[in-house]
Amino acid sequence: FVTVCSAPVQSRQSPVCPHPYRYRDFARQRDGKDLSKGRHRLPFQRPLEKCRAFQSPEVENTIARLKKKITDPDLFRLFENSYPNSLDTAVLWTGFAFADGNHPPYSDEDLAFVITGDINAMWLRDSANQILSYLPLLKPSSAPRSIAALFRGIINLHSRYIKFSPYCHAFQPPPESGIANGYNIAYHRNKVKPPYSSNRTFDCKWELDSLASFLQISSEYYNATGDLGPFSKYQWMETVEIILDTVETMRTGTYMDDGQLAPSGYTMTGSTNRATETTSNDGLGNPVKRTGMIRSTFRPSDGMGFGVHLTRLVLTSGIQTLPYINFLYLRT
């Protein structure tokens, strides 16, 4: 198991603490677990308190409060197991960024690495939505292990990821964490343009919702806390500009007016036996006409899209973000 700390992570293995990547094996077991008193006798699935990756008094208080309101014991057991699950098992590390970007000492920039299931990588969309479950509990706080710090850590790490691979959707642990990189055979089987480094990026599928998720969690954090710190101190605006440049590049159609192939900001072909894991048309995807909307090669499910143009995801989050984008420009 990997403890949550602000300095480089330290690993510890224990027969009673399920490893984060093997939590599913722990969840399948029923022997020795407390069972609910309802007809379905559902097992208590949370790791022991000392094994939980991230502990939040606000979450524990919410569970205790709702226990008095959810009278069905099976329904409450489902809530008790599922609501804290991202904190219990997926927040693999929290800490601070290197001051110079490469080596200690550390700055005051929060970082948080949140894995997706049993994969040692951080999906932009998944990590944002996992933590947005705790939005009702989000309050201003400078404490390093607060819900607010967790939101800031995700915003800051997303911003870093997008800067070096704006077309990609899943990333390796930050070097500050001390966590070993995950291995993805797709890196050797796929041909992606622009190319990416497997030392920093776990997988690279152009999914518009990944960038939208960054804008959404940024917007929700500011609306809940009024805190401009993550946006004014850590080059957040540069990331937004990269997002705008990226989506503008993907507004082209497949062909120009003269019938020649139009330049594309992203292409991908993969050696696979699954149609959803590669694209047609030599990496361009199904032919589409320029409409002014944004082309997304892959859907939120990571499966290949079929000529779909999307604007709603980015615009819904982006419009909410505009007021303080403008405010930051005025301040700088």
Side-chain angles (χ1 to χ4, degrees), residues 15-266:
V16 297
C17 289
H19 194 283
Y21 314 149
R22 294 291 176 265
Y23 175 78
R24 60 183 180 182
D25 298 330
F26 167 80
R28 290 192 183 107
Q29 301 169 7
R30 292 178 64 93
D31 295 345
K33 292 181 178 178
D34 176 58
L35 303 179
S36 63
K37 306 304 181 184
R39 61 179 294 188
H40 298 292
R41 296 179 59 77
L42 301 176
F44 182 72
Q45 297 283 37
R46 297 186 68 184
L48 294 176
E49 185 174 344
K50 67 178 181 179
C51 302
R52 295 169 189 169
F54 187 97
Q55 298 188 36
S56 165
E58 293 85 356
V59 169
E60 301 304 328
N61 291 340
T62 299
I63 294 171
R65 177 172 57 84
L66 290 181
K67 186 174 184 178
K68 302 174 183 178
K69 297 181 179 295
I70 303 176
T71 57
D72 183 295
D74 290 335
L75 183 59
F76 175 73
R77 178 53 54 85
L78 289 175
F79 173 76
E80 182 182 28
N81 286 337
S82 61
Y83 186 60
N85 186 259
S86 290
L87 300 186
D88 286 352
T89 67
V91 182
L92 204 59
W93 175 83
T94 62
F96 297 102
F98 291 141
D100 68 356
N102 298 298
H103 306 95
Y106 299 88
S107 70
D108 63 353
E109 181 184 359
D110 292 286
L111 298 178
F113 182 68
V114 180
I115 62 172
T116 297
D118 58 351
I119 302 174
N120 185 29
M122 184 166 172
W123 267 246
L124 299 182
R125 172 196 60 244
D126 295 0
S127 57
N129 283 286
Q130 284 168 268
I131 302 309
L132 280 169
S133 300
Y134 310 108
L135 181 61
L137 308 179
L138 175 60
K139 295 178 176 60
S141 175
S142 59
R145 297 189 187 180
S146 61
I147 293 292
L150 186 56
F151 271 75
R152 290 193 299 270
I154 289 174
I155 292 167
N156 292 334
L157 192 52
H158 279 200
S159 180
R160 175 192 293 187
Y161 289 151
I162 292 169
K163 282 185 178 72
F164 57 70
S165 291
Y167 292 98
C168 300
H169 70 298
F171 296 87
Q172 301 282 13
E176 293 90 340
S177 70
I179 301 173
N181 283 352
Y183 175 74
N184 187 1
I185 195 171
Y187 176 74
H188 302 284
R189 292 179 174 177
N190 296 343
K191 183 179 180 181
V192 176
K193 292 183 180 179
Y196 65 94
S197 168
S198 63
N199 290 329
R200 300 189 296 185
T201 303
F202 183 80
D203 200 9
C204 193
K205 292 179 177 176
W206 163 237
E207 302 171 5
L208 182 59
D209 64 300
S210 294
L211 302 184
S213 297
F214 166 73
L215 294 177
Q216 181 184 9
I217 195 170
S218 297
S219 177
E220 298 288 11
Y221 175 82
Y222 175 75
N223 289 337
T225 66
D227 176 21
L228 283 169
F231 314 112
S232 59
K233 295 175 65 177
Y234 308 119
Q235 293 81 51
W236 182 86
M237 278 303 311
E238 284 84 344
T239 304
V240 172
E241 291 171 352
I242 288 171
I243 289 174
L244 295 176
D245 289 342
T246 301
V247 298
E248 179 64 27
T249 300
M250 296 306 293
R251 291 178 64 209
T252 60
T254 305
Y255 301 102
M256 295 184 290
D257 291 341
D258 62 2
Q260 299 298 311
L261 284 173
S264 177
Y266 172 89

